[in-house]
Amino acid sequence: MILYDMIKAPNPRRVRMFVAEKSSEIFAQLERREIDIPGGANLTPQFLAINPRGVVPTLVLDDGTVIDESIAICRYFEEIYPEPNLMGSTPVEKALIESAQRQMELEGLYAIAAVFRNSAPQFADRALPGTSPSFAQSIDYVERGTAQTQHYFAALNQRLKDRSFIAGDRFTIADITAFIAVGFARWVKLGPAPDHENTHRWLAQVKQRPSALA
Ligand SMILES: N[C@@H](CCC(=O)N[C@@H](CS)C(=O)NCC(=O)O)C(=O)O
């Protein structure tokens, strides 16, 4: 299989971190191809023939099956490498982890993405990713995304008050999305406040995991 990737981009990083959590051997075996998004490599006919949406991560299996969407790719890896479990074991745990993951994604990562896409000079006419309609950047999205991100960081600190990790007492995919959201927020000079002590405690723990460097 081949993972179409971009080393700096947050969504492909979610997949790399997920696979690295499975094991360093599995990570080392994964064939990766770098796609230069700022340079437009994701919009070339060659890449669009692989994924007409023009986004990464995109996983192509040996039989030619194409899987995009970070969480769908993670789901595939969870099914083929069930241990260590990162997406839940029981029906209740699966639901709670999925709920937490979606909150970290929709309220954190995507809010930050809106700020970045609507302010980074290299995306002046590409405020939406891939082959989405071409839009100019909008300051309204920067303001709304900034407010939403600040709200997200306050909620994150609150969530971590009674829990060691985002979805409970163990590391899961929800921690991966949240950890990458924190890193991505730095691109637009946002982040947890200095007094978000629960978040800083959690961050220090996650940073120590080898997968944090994937
Ligand atoms: N919901 C998708 C988002 C994929 C996405 O937007 N990826 C970005 C990189 S982080 C991308 O491919 N951008 C292409 C572009 O900017 O044109 C996922 O979770 O995989």
Side-chain angles (χ1 to χ4, degrees), residues 25-65:
E25 288 77 21
I26 294 168
F27 183 77
Q29 283 163 17
L30 186 61
E31 183 177 343
R32 292 182 285 131
R33 297 219 179 127
E34 179 75 3
I35 298 295
D36 172 15
I37 295 173
N42 59 313
L43 301 176
T44 58
Q46 291 85 341
F47 186 72
L48 293 178
I50 296 163
N51 184 345
R53 295 175 71 214
V55 291
V56 292
T58 296
L59 184 70
V60 181
L61 305 184
D62 292 344
D63 70 359
T65 303

Side-chain angles (χ1 to χ4, degrees), residues 11 27 39 89 93 124:
N11 284 300
F27 183 77
S89 298
E93 199 196 18

